[in-house]
Amino acid sequence: MGAVGARRRWLVAVAGLALAAAACSGGGGGSGSDDPLSGNTFENPATEKILTFTGVGKAHISGTLTLPQNAKGPVPAVLIVPSPGLTNRDGRTVGAPIDNLYKDLSKSFVNAGMATFRYDHRGAGASTLDPGVVPTWDDMVSDAQDALKFLGERNEVDGTRLSLVGHEMSGPIALKLAAADNRVKSVVLVAAPGRPLVDVWAGEFQALSGQQSADDLRALVANLETTGSFPPRDAMRPDQQTLLPIGQDALYKGMFAADPLADAKAVKVPVLIALGDKSTSISAEDASRIGKALGGTSEVVTAANATATLQTLKAAPARVVPGTPAT
Amino acid sequence: MSAMGGGPIIADAPRDQPTLARMTSFLGTALGAKAA
């Protein structure tokens, strides 16, 4: 797939995300019958449990605990922290193409003898919010902390042996939890930024639309930091209207203000940093920055010819010159 | 927050298996996990 084609797909995806987010803003939208994130079902009823814990503001956060087959006694467990936004326990984001990253990770971890817990972000899937309640960055952090506490207290789980997976901006959240909780034995980061989010996005817009687009994004973010909100969407560039969902300003303000490396130095457990070499935003530079900032050991694993969610791109079809034998 | 970019999302495309295997073994080693 060419770079232009890939970027067009991405723009289509974020346009859908913005529209869906607008429809869901204010909470409660995640449970509607037309919500693509609804209908979380058991894949294997013998080993999966749909559970709910209560987050700050009395939000009901729904997740799936998956246990290894034939587990005898408490097992170690991995908490998969979803990327902030309207993302569900499987890794699917409202309006974006289906990508069940978290579900796929869970299957692999469970087959290796670990339990997993993955949850719907507040406002997505079955984690509904009261009307008018908007999620914040602090909510995302506290929900992850509550999820870890909830997981560690389950009878099926050995609460002294826990690990974390952080994806995109939940990477910094995972590092924050690992820095503060000695039950966490390791962390895996997937497509996590090692630079401020505005730099990551500005780089993306520069690649997509040129320097002016990147400059405009930086101006939008500066205005968000000052006023707490984005301007009316019709005052934005069309490409940026699609990127910034309506009703998520508080969350985005916190995300843009967050230093992805703020807690890295305090993390002493091993960290694996995973990325795809065809990612258009997260690069080896991000992985290098994270590795240097950590207080313990780290390892980088790069998926060849793969996207940020580690999906392998199809190889270009081989060219066959007429008259020559195929090899 | 998949809107962050990161390349094309392709429904049902396979994950890079060596990377998935490394992630799994990394976590399993740290946690002392044993497959049934």
Side-chain angles (χ1 to χ4, degrees):
Chain A
M1 177 184 298
V4 172
R7 287 168 183 159
R8 283 179 180 159
R9 278 183 182 225
W10 175 71
L11 282 175
V12 169
V14 296
L17 172 64
L19 291 170
C24 292
S25 65
S31 60
S33 60
D34 59 346
D35 181 355
L37 299 186
S38 66
N40 293 303
T41 57
F42 290 115
E43 182 150 300
N44 185 342
T47 60
E48 290 191 333
K49 299 179 180 181
I50 292 183
L51 305 170
T52 301
F53 65 93
T54 303
V56 68
K58 298 182 179 178
H60 298 292
I61 309 298
S62 180
T64 298
L65 175 69
T66 308
L67 300 167
Q69 291 273 11
N70 305 316
K72 295 180 177 64
V75 293
V78 180
L79 172 65
I80 301 175
V81 183
S83 179
L86 295 169
T87 306
N88 82 346
R89 70 192 74 189
D90 291 341
R92 296 169 61 179
T93 299
V94 171
I98 295 171
D99 186 343
N100 294 314
L101 172 64
Y102 310 153
K103 195 173 187 179
D104 290 350
L105 294 179
S106 175
K107 287 178 184 174
S108 184
F109 301 161
V110 168
N111 286 338
M114 296 169 272
T116 66
F117 186 61
R118 47 200 171 87
Y119 59 94
D120 299 336
H121 260 314
R122 52 176 63 209
S127 297
T128 56
L129 288 174
D130 291 335
V133 176
V134 295
T136 68
W137 171 250
D138 289 344
D139 291 340
M140 302 290 136
V141 175
S142 67
D143 286 345
Q145 291 167 332
D146 290 338
L148 185 64
K149 181 174 184 291
F150 178 76
L151 177 61
E153 292 175 349
R154 296 291 305 179
N155 290 334
E156 308 94 326
V157 166
D158 179 348
T160 66
R161 292 189 291 162
L162 304 173
S163 285
L164 298 162
V165 172
H167 173 222
E168 296 179 339
M169 275 301 282
S170 72
I173 296 175
L175 294 180
K176 178 181 284 293
L177 269 59
D181 193 326
N182 61 13
R183 296 174 304 168
V184 176
K185 305 306 182 196
S186 64
V187 178
V188 168
L189 302 176
V190 182
R195 299 165 286 157
L197 188 59
V198 67
D199 291 340
V200 175
W201 281 18
E204 182 79 10
F205 273 108
Q206 183 164 3
L208 287 168
S209 309
Q211 185 63 47
Q212 187 60 54
S213 181
D215 293 344
D216 289 350
L217 177 78
R218 290 186 183 280
L220 280 177
V221 173
N223 183 67
L224 175 68
E225 290 171 351
T226 303
T227 66
S229 60
F230 287 119
R233 293 318 188 261
D234 59 7
M236 297 180 184
R237 299 169 60 98
D239 51 354
Q240 291 170 359
Q241 291 176 22
T242 61
L243 181 65
L244 302 166
I246 294 170
Q248 304 271 307
D249 292 10
L251 170 59
Y252 277 72
K253 182 182 179 186
M255 279 202 296
F256 280 117
D259 174 2
L261 304 179
D263 297 288
K265 190 172 181 58
V267 176
K268 307 299 184 187
V269 297
V271 177
L272 182 70
I273 306 166
L275 68 157
D277 70 355
K278 297 301 183 187
S279 168
T280 54
S281 56
I282 300 301
S283 67
E285 179 190 351
D286 291 280
S288 175
R289 285 172 176 257
I290 295 169
K292 288 176 182 173
L294 289 167
T297 61
S298 65
E299 173 186 335
V300 178
V301 58
T302 304
N305 196 36
T307 67
T309 57
L310 313 176
Q311 288 184 306
T312 304
L313 298 173
K314 289 181 180 176
R319 292 185 61 191
V320 177
V321 178
T324 60
T327 57
Chain B
M1 218 193 63
S2 297
M4 196 161 128
I9 294 173
I10 310 156
D12 300 327
R15 309 283 166 202
D16 182 68
Q17 289 304 304
T19 302
L20 198 55
R22 180 63 193 125
M23 294 164 70
T24 302
S25 66
F26 178 86
L27 291 171
T29 299
L31 293 176
K34 296 175 183 175

